[in-house]
């Protein structure tokens, strides 16, 4: 006590007990008792400022210069666990170490285990800056952070999704010969946003620890799902079972989520059924992932069926469940069913989100219920939900589908009055509404307005403008826009060419039709039925029977290919029936993929891991 009083680090009240000296010395963790007066010498004051600068630097945010000290705080912090603690002015390191040991033996300073628990608690509370600042605090108290404390700090940073800093700390720990446990490494694997890096770390973890745990496999599958690498996620899932690691509910949820992100709704359903066959109870996350996969596959009846199956498993749907189901109905034009779901969730006292309202407006738009869509926009304000630009985009599209271009212009004014920034989808929806109303001049004015709003027109923007000109029989303007589109290095698609060909057909410009067909062939685009029909009609109007017959033969070949595709689909349905699989389980696009052995793919991934390990070792040495 006398030594600390000499440093000016104790309250003036002599009767006050010496509590939490670590917080007193570092002036970071819990504040002193109320009413206590503190005296610090110039040396201790400068030390406190140094500790505060370390805490700011540990936060990872750019530091600002302190007004009192006149020095700039460091914006970059790299802690070296092997570095020796700094000394105070006027005290030798040995004396200071003896003082710390004495205080720690008396229970007034924290031990390594206590610091590790404190840092771990910071991580659970999402206070990763404090977790990092605790490492230099330990050094100031004469402690060298051990593997437990350093690992807890890495986990805190990883849980905060600061994966670059966590990875750097893990490399530093290995260079300092600190033993980073498997749980810490798994947290870094889960935090990485780069799926290649996550898988590389996973294989490096396998190389260091041998057989991976289920948590490591789940982390690797999660990384594969984020990167939409469904085959890799399936290979990891198969390898996990091959090594005798039984998948749990979390593992199944992870692989189902990978199927959802890859838009493979059939495989997601199959995995959910397999999960139930192994007596693993699906959770709310399981059903939400499957319903979301059905949304992307535009399978609204299937989505509704799983929403009802949740009730059978005594799982209450949440707002995410209803959002997905409403979106599935909306994308399939089932606006009445979407309205039923919207009313049902309100009866369950589930508060709709802005995503819910946007999905409902989209459903009304596909069902050509523009008036109901506008009513929902008004209802949002009654429930204190502010419409965003996505809301107005959906409402403008709803008006465009029913040729209500005047209401679309009113919604554009509402966007401006609410200080919202229109995006490319807004302009595309406005041009589409004008095209439906044969207001091609307004459509072109919106196209010209986009660069002034710092918005680059897309292929859809030009295609919509060309369609507006086509509906008004302005074929010269349509071809001019097609040329402007190419000058902007935007490659036209089939829809763009179909609109231009149709414009030339209406103006009896069969020569232009031939030019457009040649341009499609140069770009490797195959004309669809609408393009063939427009071109054949253009040739027939000018009695170019030879060209018309030639195109008719090409259209017949295309029809024959479509019939063969239908026969192939029928063959797949027979195969599913023979194996007792649900209808739609096997798709023609992934039929060959099903023949690939996932274990062979895993072996190829192990080779990639060896390459990554060598690169990672070189990086660590550097």
């Amino acid at each position: 006590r006398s030594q600390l009083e000499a440093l000016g680090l104790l309250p003036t009240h002599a009767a006050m007990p010496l509590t939490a000296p670590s917080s007193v010395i570092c002036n970071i963790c819990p504040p002193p008792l109320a009413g206590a007066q503190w005296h610090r010498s110039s040396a201790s004051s400068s030390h406190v400022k140094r500790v505060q600068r370390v805490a700011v630097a540990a936060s990872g945010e750019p530091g600002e210069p302190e007004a009192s000290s006149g020095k700039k705080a460091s914006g970059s912090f790299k802690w070296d666990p092997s570095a020796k603690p700094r000394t105070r002015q006027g005290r030798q390191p040995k004396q200071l170490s003896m003082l710390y040991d004495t205080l720690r033996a008396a229970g007034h300073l924290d031990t390594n285990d206590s610091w590790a628990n404190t840092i771990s608690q910071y991580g659970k509370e999402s206070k990763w800056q404090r977790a990092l600042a605790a490492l230099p605090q330990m050094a100031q108290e004469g402690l060298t952070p051990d593997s437990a404390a350093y690992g807890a700090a890495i986990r805190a940073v990883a849980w905060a999704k600061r994966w670059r800093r966590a990875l750097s700390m893990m490399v530093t720990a290995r260079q300092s010969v600190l033993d980073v446990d498997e749980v810490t490494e798994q947290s870094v694997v889960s935090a990485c946003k780069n799926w290649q890096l996550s898988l590389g770390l996973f294989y490096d973890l396998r190389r260091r620890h041998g057989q991976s745990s289920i948590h490591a496999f789940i982390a690797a599958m999660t990384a594969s799902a984020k990167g939409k690498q469904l085959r890799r996620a399936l290979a990891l899932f198969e390898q996990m079972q091959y090594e005798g690691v039984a998948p749990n509910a979390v593992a199944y949820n992870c692989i189902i989520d990978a199927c959802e992100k890859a838009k493979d709704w059939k495989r997601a359903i199959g995995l959910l059924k397999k999960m139930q066959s192994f007596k693993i109870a699906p959770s709310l996350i399981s059903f939400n992932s499957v319903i979301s996969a059905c949304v992307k596959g535009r399978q609204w009846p299937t989505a509704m069926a799983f929403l009802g199956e949740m009730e059978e498993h005594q799982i209450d749907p949440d707002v995410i469940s209803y959002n997905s189901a409403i979106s599935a109905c909306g994308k399939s034009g089932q606006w009445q069913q979407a309205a039923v779901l919207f009313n049902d969730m309100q009866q369950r006292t589930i508060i709709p989100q802005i995503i819910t309202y946007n999905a409902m407006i989209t459903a009304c738009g596909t069902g050509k219920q523009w008036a109901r869509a506008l009513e929902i926009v008004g209802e949002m304000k009654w429930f204190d939900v502010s419409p965003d630009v996505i809301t107005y985009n959906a409402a403008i599209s709803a008006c465009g589908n029913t040729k209500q271009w005047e209401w679309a212009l009113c919604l554009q004014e509402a966007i401006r009055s609410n200080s919202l920034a229109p995006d490319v989808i807004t302009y595309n929806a406005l041009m589409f509404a004008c095209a439906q109303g044969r207001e091609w001049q307004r459509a072109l004015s919106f196209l010209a307005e986009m660069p002034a709003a710092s918005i680059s027109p897309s292929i859809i923007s030009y295609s919509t403008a060309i369609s507006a000109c086509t509906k008004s029989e302005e074929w010269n303007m349509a071809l001019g826009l097609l040329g402007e589109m190419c000058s902007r290095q935007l490659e036209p698609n089939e829809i763009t060419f179909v609109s231009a060909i149709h414009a030339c057909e209406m103006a009896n410009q069969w020569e232009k039709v031939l030019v457009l067909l040649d341009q499609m062939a140069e770009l490797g685009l195959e004309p669809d039925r609408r393009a063939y029909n427009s071109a054949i009609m253009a040739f027939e109007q000018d009695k170019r029977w030879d060209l018309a017959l030639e195109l008719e033969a090409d259209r017949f070949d295309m029809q024959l290919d479509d019939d063969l595709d239908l026969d192939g689909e029928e063959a797949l349905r027979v195969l599913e029936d023979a194996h007792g699989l649900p209808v739609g389980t096997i798709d023609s696009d992934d039929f060959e993929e099903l023949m690939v052995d996932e274990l062979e793919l895993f072996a190829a991934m192990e080779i990639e891991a060896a390459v990554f390990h060598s690169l990672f070792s070189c990086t660590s040495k550097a």
Side-chain angles (χ1 to χ4, degrees):
R1 178 183 294 272
S2 61
Q3 291 172 329
L4 292 178
E5 287 178 349
L7 291 174
L9 294 175
L10 282 183
T12 55
H13 303 288
M16 179 176 292
L18 182 62
T19 58
S22 58
S23 61
V24 174
I25 295 176
C26 296
N27 193 34
I28 290 181
C29 292
L33 298 176
Q37 301 295 325
W38 297 88
H39 299 281
R40 297 182 177 89
S41 63
S42 59
S44 62
S45 177
S46 62
H47 164 67
V48 170
K49 293 177 182 178
R50 287 198 302 272
V51 173
Q52 290 175 343
R53 288 197 297 270
V54 169
V56 172
S59 67
E61 304 296 335
E64 296 182 358
E66 293 185 3
S68 59
S69 62
K71 297 181 181 180
K72 292 185 178 181
S74 174
S76 176
F77 171 73
K78 183 178 181 181
W79 170 249
D80 185 2
S82 62
K84 297 181 179 179
R86 295 179 296 177
T87 60
R88 293 174 179 267
Q89 297 180 3
R91 184 171 297 280
Q92 297 298 324
K94 184 176 179 180
Q95 297 172 335
L96 186 62
S97 177
M98 293 174 60
L99 172 61
Y100 284 142
D101 292 341
T102 302
L103 292 173
R104 191 171 291 107
H108 297 305
L109 289 181
D110 294 331
T111 62
N112 271 323
D113 293 339
S114 301
W115 275 106
N117 294 333
T118 301
I119 295 173
S120 180
Q121 186 63 31
Y122 283 150
K124 294 178 181 178
E125 297 175 357
S126 301
K127 299 177 181 179
W128 64 275
Q129 297 96 332
R130 290 193 177 185
L132 279 183
L135 296 177
Q137 290 179 46
M138 293 179 66
Q140 290 296 327
E141 295 189 6
L143 289 177
T144 300
D146 57 2
S147 300
Y150 204 74
I154 294 176
R155 291 194 298 274
V157 175
W159 292 341
K161 304 301 180 183
R162 307 281 174 163
W163 64 273
R164 290 186 177 89
R165 185 183 293 272
L167 182 61
S168 176
M169 293 177 66
M170 190 170 69
V171 173
T172 303
R174 292 184 180 178
Q175 291 174 346
S176 304
V177 200
L178 286 178
D179 185 18
V180 181
D181 59 4
E182 187 177 359
V183 176
T184 303
E185 292 178 333
Q186 291 170 9
S187 64
V188 178
V189 173
S190 301
C192 285
K193 293 183 178 180
N194 186 299
W195 67 268
Q196 296 98 330
L197 184 58
S198 294
L199 291 182
L201 291 173
F202 166 74
Y203 295 124
D204 183 71
L205 187 147
R206 284 174 60 87
R207 193 180 299 275
R208 293 169 59 88
H209 300 284
Q211 190 175 14
S212 300
S213 65
I214 187 172
H215 302 289
F217 275 110
I218 290 174
M221 286 189 293
T222 302
S224 301
K226 291 179 182 178
K228 298 181 180 180
Q229 299 294 317
L230 178 58
R231 290 186 61 194
R232 293 178 181 270
L234 290 171
L236 291 166
F237 189 71
E238 293 295 331
Q239 181 66 21
M240 178 176 64
Q241 299 175 77
Y242 179 78
E243 293 182 2
V245 180
N248 55 12
V250 179
Y252 273 104
N253 290 343
C254 180
I255 195 65
I256 291 174
D257 180 65
C259 295
E260 182 268 334
K261 287 182 170 57
K263 301 180 181 181
D264 193 344
W265 63 276
K266 301 171 185 176
R267 200 188 300 269
I269 293 175
L271 287 167
L272 182 65
K273 299 298 183 183
K274 183 179 179 181
M275 179 181 183
Q276 294 173 329
S277 66
F278 282 101
K279 307 300 181 182
I280 300 176
S283 62
L284 177 64
I285 298 175
S286 310
F287 281 104
N288 284 348
S289 297
V290 172
I291 294 174
S292 179
C294 294
V295 172
K296 296 181 178 180
R298 298 180 181 273
Q299 300 294 321
W300 75 270
T302 310
M304 293 295 298
F306 281 106
L307 189 65
E309 189 175 339
M310 294 176 66
E311 301 286 346
E312 299 177 3
H313 289 80
Q314 298 181 350
I315 298 176
D316 295 328
D318 61 356
V319 66
I320 298 176
S321 310
Y322 278 103
N323 289 348
S324 299
I326 292 174
S327 298
C329 296
K331 291 182 179 180
S332 301
Q334 302 294 325
W335 71 274
Q336 300 95 332
Q337 189 63 47
V340 171
L341 292 172
F342 186 73
N343 295 331
D344 184 52
M345 70 179 298
Q346 290 178 320
Q347 292 178 359
R348 291 174 176 264
T349 65
I350 299 177
I351 301 176
Q353 300 174 337
I354 188 172
I355 299 175
T356 315
Y357 286 105
N358 293 346
M360 192 62 207
I361 294 173
T362 301
C364 294
T366 55
K368 297 185 178 181
Q369 302 294 318
W370 65 275
R372 177 56 183 152
L374 295 182
E375 289 178 1
I376 294 175
V377 175
E379 291 175 4
M380 294 176 65
K381 298 179 180 179
W382 282 100
F383 291 100
D384 294 330
V385 179
S386 300
D388 58 4
V389 67
I390 300 176
T391 307
Y392 286 109
N393 290 348
I396 292 172
S397 298
C399 295
N401 290 336
T402 51
K403 301 181 181 180
Q404 300 293 328
W405 62 272
E406 298 94 342
W407 282 102
L409 297 182
C410 293
L411 290 170
Q412 181 203 16
E413 293 299 326
I415 292 177
R416 294 177 178 175
S417 63
N418 289 316
S419 301
L420 296 174
D423 55 12
V424 64
I425 299 177
T426 309
Y427 282 100
N428 292 347
L430 288 169
M431 286 189 289
F432 176 76
C434 294
Q436 294 296 95
R438 298 182 183 276
E439 294 288 330
W440 66 274
Q441 298 95 335
R442 293 180 183 273
L444 294 186
S445 67
F446 284 125
L447 182 66
E449 184 182 330
M450 293 178 71
S454 302
I455 299 175
S456 301
S458 63
I459 297 176
I460 298 177
S461 306
Y462 277 100
S463 299
T464 307
I466 292 173
S467 176
C469 296
T470 299
K471 292 180 183 296
S472 301
E473 300 183 10
E474 296 290 336
W475 66 274
N476 278 321
M477 294 297 300
L479 295 182
L481 289 172
L482 184 63
E484 180 183 340
M485 184 179 182
C486 297
S487 65
R488 288 179 175 269
Q489 296 181 348
L490 291 174
E491 187 173 300
N493 55 18
E494 292 87 347
I495 299 175
T496 312
F497 278 106
V498 167
S499 298
I501 290 173
H502 185 55
C504 295
E505 176 257 321
M506 296 176 65
N508 297 328
Q509 298 292 324
W510 67 269
E511 297 93 344
K512 301 293 184 181
V513 172
L514 277 179
V515 174
L516 292 174
L517 291 175
D518 291 339
Q519 290 180 1
M520 292 187 70
E522 292 176 358
L523 294 175
L525 300 176
E526 184 71 24
D528 59 5
R529 293 183 181 181
R530 292 176 298 172
Y532 277 119
N533 292 339
S534 297
I536 290 172
M537 290 181 65
F539 295 146
E540 289 177 349
Q541 288 174 3
D542 285 296
K543 299 181 180 181
R544 301 292 302 187
W545 311 115
D546 52 341
L547 296 175
L549 289 175
E550 183 179 348
L551 284 180
E552 186 65 40
D554 293 340
R555 183 172 63 174
F556 178 78
D557 292 339
M558 183 186 67
Q559 181 65 37
L560 183 61
D561 293 339
D562 292 342
D563 293 340
L564 291 175
D565 291 338
L566 292 176
D567 293 339
E569 292 290 334
E570 183 64 25
L572 292 178
R573 302 292 85 82
V574 173
L575 181 61
E576 290 170 347
D577 184 66
H579 289 274
L581 298 174
V583 176
T585 303
I586 304 177
D587 194 358
S588 58
D589 294 334
D590 60 1
F591 181 73
E592 294 182 359
E593 181 181 329
L594 295 176
M595 301 296 104
V596 178
D597 187 0
E598 281 80 2
L599 295 181
E600 292 183 1
L601 176 60
F602 190 86
M605 293 161 65
E606 289 280 8
I607 297 176
E608 295 180 3
V611 177
F612 176 86
H613 177 71
S614 60
L615 295 175
F616 189 79
S617 300
C618 294
T619 305
S620 300
K621 294 178 181 178

